[in-house]
Every structure is written in structure tokens, then in C-alpha cells.
Amino acid sequence: ECSPEGHHILRNPYRSTRFDSLELQQTALQDLVCDHSLPPAWYRFMIDSRPAEMPTRCVEMNKCGTQAPVWLSLKSESLPVPGESKRLTACATWQVFFGGTEDCCLFRIPIVVRNCGEFFVYLLQPTQGCMGYCAEAFLPCLIILKSSFRVNNSNVKIKFYATTFFYFLLPDTLTSLALQPVITPELVQGRVHLKCTYSRPSSKPPLQYMVTWSRLSSPGKKEQIQRDTTPQSFSYVEMNGVTLRLGDTVFCTVTAFTRDAPEQQSLPEESKGFYAGIKFLPESLQIAEDGREHVLTVLSTVPIACPGHDDSCKITLQLSAEDLDSQLLGPPNIALSACQVDLLQAPCSESSCAEATLTVTAVTDFAQDGNRISRIQAEPVGRRDLLWRAYTPKDVKVTVRDLPTGNCYSFTDPHIITFDG
């Protein structure tokens, strides 16, 4: 890890303790430093082409290009001497309540600091939520030189001190866990919930689990919606239509720790993204004007709740087709076999909790109008609950390939025979 090929370099100047993140939050939210997706690896910090190290004092919120800056807490410890290592703790600064007092060590990340003698590298793990590792640039120093020269008829010893160290994560039995979290949908007391389950290995003392729920707020950006601490091997979050809505892609991240030493945590493991809502399979169609029927499957990845009436244990979707080349006059591009489909309540299996099918056919218009694009839209009808009322599924894009039409030729004089002879 000390060799150039043994680590990566983090060069983002926003990580500096001198950088104020408030302006980013107002003008360029996408540029915030969020290390929740940082791959576990060895890293070295550089700020403006200068070597940098993790600060060893509390860093206030909204510094280092992030909301919750992570710094190195020494307490009564000291950095190790060259060639040695020490177990230390990194802290994240945050406040529990808006406007409340900042806690310099609300979240703890166990690490080990190793002195390699020339520069810092860090074996970093992903953080929980939008936290970022801080860095302080410093001037390069040299090793101690045992030499002297004469100044004003006196010998003066010139001493230089090296302050370069290496950091890596705390080696612990927690790091060998394979939690493998998975999200599945369930109905709990008639309400739609998502359940995060993970493996629960036997351990003494028993393990506790921190489960962080997040949703994909924009491409590449996640927003935390709930955090639980539980001794159980599962955690629930409700699809309430407010903090978690249909159409969201949801993740759960699980970290294990012991009650006696909560600062020693396993590496967080994140589930695959779970899309909650209505899906069309296939998600897009490419068909031709040949009269063939193409099957389109409509499914719900979440269970259908019953408001209280037997005939309402379903979701009715109103379907419509729209020609995106609206400037062209003529018949519609596609025809649907049904204008409504019902998704009936059924036990969830694999990725489907309710399912219906219909067919899509390209309309033969006998016109050379080129390839045309249409879309199929679906809208839930008859539902009054907040979860479904404000939800519109994604459209299905249908590309209709134009085929050449046949021609009829007459080589003799046509004769028309009428019914009256």
C-alpha cells in the first residue's frame, strides 16, 4: 500500500478544511463530497498538488465540501512513530436536530494509523449518508539530519522532522461478515412496507445492526429517509406516499456492531436497488407494420392493499396510446387489445406482486411515412389512498417500423360485373 501502485489519490480541493460547503449546497449540489459510495481501498490525499493529511481536531459542519466532515480523533492518543501503527477513531460532525448543538463525534469510524515515513495513505470505507473525509494540506518535511555547520563561530545542528503516516481500517472480526441485505415487499397491517433482510451470524456478544434506508433522488444521488438500530435480522420502512413514494428506487445499507463497543463497526453493505411501482415488460418495443401481435406485461412490484372492500383488492390502470409525431395526420401508429387492465391482489413472488397482459399491434396505414414513435401511458383510476393517487407509471416507448406497401397492376382492360348483370 505504500508503493505508488498500492493506493489511489484523492485530489478534490473541496476536501480542504478551509473550504465552505454552504455555497455548493445552494448552487451545485451535485458537487458535494459524499463518500457513501467510495470503494474500500487505500487512498492518499492531495490538496492543490501538496501532500495532505486528515485533521486531528474537530471540523465544523459544512466544511470539506460536505455536510458531515470526517476527521481523526486522537483524544489522549498520539500518532505512531515511523514503522508502527495505532488503532484510532475517525469522527463525523453532525447535529441531531436542526438548529441544535453540533456533535463533533456523532458517528464513529474505526481506523488504524500507520507511519510509513514519507506520506499518508488511508484505507477508507464508505460512509453512512453524505459524509466526507477531510484533509489538511501541509508543507513537505524532511527526515532528521545529524549534521552541523559553523555559523558565527558556533556549531548549529539543523533538524528536520518527517510527519508522514499511513492509515488503514481497524482489523476486526466484524470486517469478515457477509450481511448480504435484500429488499422484499410486504403488507403489514394492510399497508405496503419494504423489508430489508440480512444474514445474522452467531456471535458473542450478540450483534446489533444499523440499517439505513435511502432512495435514489436523482441519477447517482441518494437521499437518506430512515435509520434504525435493531438486534433483529430485518428492518421495515413504510411506503407512505410522502417520504417514500411509488416510482422510487430504494436501497438499504446494513452495518453490524456490538453493544459493548459500538464504535467498532463492520464495513457497510448495500442492497441492490429495489424499484417500487408499476413496470412494463419489455420496457420498450420495436415492432413493424406486419399485423403481428406483441405481448406487453404489466406488473406491480409492491403488493396490492385492500381498503376494506372485496371488490377493491385491485389496481385498475387506464391505458392510452399517443403518437409522438403528432404533426403527421393519419391513423394511430399502434392498437391496444384493452384500454383497461386490472392488477389483482396476489402473493408476491420473485419481482411481481400482481400481473396482467395485453397485446400491441402496429397499424398498417398503407402510407410510406417512415418509422414513427408512439408511447403507451397508464394511469391508476378509482384509488383514493395517497400512495396510488399521486402516482403515474413510466411510459412505454414503441417504435413502429414502416414497411413498403404492395402495388396492384392491371395489364388488360378491366371489366366490372355488377349484381344486375
Side-chain angles (χ1 to χ4, degrees), residues 361-374:
T361 307
V363 175
T364 304
D365 53 13
F366 300 102
Q368 296 183 2
D369 50 4
N371 297 342
R372 299 170 67 179
I373 298 176
S374 296

Side-chain angles (χ1 to χ4, degrees), residues 316-320 339-341 377-381:
T316 300
L317 297 177
Q318 182 72 39
L319 303 176
S320 61
C339 294
Q340 281 189 349
V341 293
Q377 298 174 300
E379 182 180 356
V381 295

